[in-house]
mmCIF file of all heavy atoms in Angstrom:
data_model
loop_
_atom_site.group_PDB
_atom_site.id
_atom_site.type_symbol
_atom_site.label_atom_id
_atom_site.label_comp_id
_atom_site.label_asym_id
_atom_site.label_seq_id
_atom_site.Cartn_x
_atom_site.Cartn_y
_atom_site.Cartn_z
ATOM 1 N N MET V 292 -13.845 -5.106 18.391
ATOM 2 C CA MET V 292 -14.170 -4.534 17.124
ATOM 3 C C MET V 292 -14.465 -5.615 16.128
ATOM 4 O O MET V 292 -15.437 -5.532 15.424
ATOM 5 C CB MET V 292 -13.054 -3.575 16.742
ATOM 6 C CG MET V 292 -11.977 -4.011 15.823
ATOM 7 S SD MET V 292 -11.371 -2.517 14.989
ATOM 8 C CE MET V 292 -12.587 -2.292 13.743
ATOM 9 N N PRO V 293 -13.752 -6.726 16.116
ATOM 10 C CA PRO V 293 -13.322 -7.172 14.805
ATOM 11 C C PRO V 293 -14.464 -7.551 13.883
ATOM 12 O O PRO V 293 -15.124 -8.560 14.027
ATOM 13 C CB PRO V 293 -12.404 -8.353 15.106
ATOM 14 C CG PRO V 293 -11.975 -8.131 16.511
ATOM 15 C CD PRO V 293 -13.152 -7.464 17.172
ATOM 16 N N VAL V 387 -10.537 7.245 20.483
ATOM 17 C CA VAL V 387 -10.648 6.199 19.459
ATOM 18 C C VAL V 387 -9.258 5.872 18.934
ATOM 19 O O VAL V 387 -8.897 4.707 18.726
ATOM 20 C CB VAL V 387 -11.562 6.672 18.311
ATOM 21 C CG1 VAL V 387 -11.545 5.687 17.157
ATOM 22 C CG2 VAL V 387 -12.978 6.894 18.814
ATOM 23 N N CYS V 388 -8.466 6.900 18.736
ATOM 24 C CA CYS V 388 -7.100 6.747 18.243
ATOM 25 C C CYS V 388 -6.293 5.860 19.187
ATOM 26 O O CYS V 388 -5.654 4.902 18.760
ATOM 27 C CB CYS V 388 -6.480 8.138 18.113
ATOM 28 S SG CYS V 388 -4.744 8.150 17.669
ATOM 29 N N SER V 390 -7.362 3.766 21.454
ATOM 30 C CA SER V 390 -7.897 2.406 21.485
ATOM 31 C C SER V 390 -7.516 1.651 20.214
ATOM 32 O O SER V 390 -7.171 0.462 20.250
ATOM 33 C CB SER V 390 -9.414 2.505 21.680
ATOM 34 O OG SER V 390 -10.091 1.453 21.090
ATOM 35 N N CYS V 391 -7.540 2.343 19.095
ATOM 36 C CA CYS V 391 -7.217 1.716 17.812
ATOM 37 C C CYS V 391 -5.745 1.291 17.783
ATOM 38 O O CYS V 391 -5.421 0.173 17.369
ATOM 39 C CB CYS V 391 -7.524 2.700 16.684
ATOM 40 S SG CYS V 391 -7.430 1.990 15.030
ATOM 41 N N ASN V 394 -5.223 -1.661 20.133
ATOM 42 C CA ASN V 394 -5.698 -2.887 19.492
ATOM 43 C C ASN V 394 -4.713 -3.359 18.426
ATOM 44 O O ASN V 394 -4.455 -4.554 18.302
ATOM 45 C CB ASN V 394 -7.075 -2.665 18.848
ATOM 46 C CG ASN V 394 -8.174 -2.511 19.888
ATOM 47 O OD1 ASN V 394 -7.918 -2.562 21.084
ATOM 48 N ND2 ASN V 394 -9.390 -2.302 19.422
ATOM 49 N N TYR V 413 -6.687 -0.095 10.154
ATOM 50 C CA TYR V 413 -8.097 -0.045 10.517
ATOM 51 C C TYR V 413 -8.625 1.205 9.820
ATOM 52 O O TYR V 413 -7.855 2.008 9.293
ATOM 53 C CB TYR V 413 -8.274 0.126 12.024
ATOM 54 C CG TYR V 413 -7.952 -1.079 12.869
ATOM 55 C CD1 TYR V 413 -6.646 -1.383 13.190
ATOM 56 C CD2 TYR V 413 -8.959 -1.879 13.380
ATOM 57 C CE1 TYR V 413 -6.344 -2.481 13.999
ATOM 58 C CE2 TYR V 413 -8.673 -2.969 14.191
ATOM 59 C CZ TYR V 413 -7.370 -3.258 14.495
ATOM 60 O OH TYR V 413 -7.075 -4.329 15.292
ATOM 61 N N GLN V 415 -9.657 3.653 11.302
ATOM 62 C CA GLN V 415 -9.300 4.797 12.147
ATOM 63 C C GLN V 415 -7.804 4.945 12.416
ATOM 64 O O GLN V 415 -7.388 5.962 12.968
ATOM 65 C CB GLN V 415 -10.030 4.708 13.491
ATOM 66 C CG GLN V 415 -11.541 4.707 13.389
ATOM 67 C CD GLN V 415 -12.088 6.033 12.908
ATOM 68 O OE1 GLN V 415 -11.408 7.041 12.899
ATOM 69 N NE2 GLN V 415 -13.343 6.032 12.470
HETATM 70 C C1 LIG A 719 -10.495 -2.120 20.363
HETATM 71 O O1 LIG A 719 -10.870 -3.392 20.831
HETATM 72 C C2 LIG A 719 -11.957 -3.354 21.748
HETATM 73 C C3 LIG A 719 -12.160 -4.758 22.273
HETATM 74 O O2 LIG A 719 -12.234 -5.678 21.231
HETATM 75 C C4 LIG A 719 -13.191 -2.788 21.045
HETATM 76 O O3 LIG A 719 -14.263 -2.717 21.932
HETATM 77 C C5 LIG A 719 -12.864 -1.397 20.507
HETATM 78 O O4 LIG A 719 -13.947 -0.907 19.764
HETATM 79 C C6 LIG A 719 -11.631 -1.431 19.646
HETATM 80 N N1 LIG A 719 -11.259 -0.061 19.287
HETATM 81 C C7 LIG A 719 -11.145 0.368 18.029
HETATM 82 C C8 LIG A 719 -10.832 1.808 17.843
HETATM 83 O O5 LIG A 719 -11.306 -0.349 17.072
#
Side-chain angles (χ1 to χ4, degrees):
M292 98 153 280
V387 172
C388 174
S390 150
C391 189
N394 289 0
Y413 288 80
Q415 300 292 345

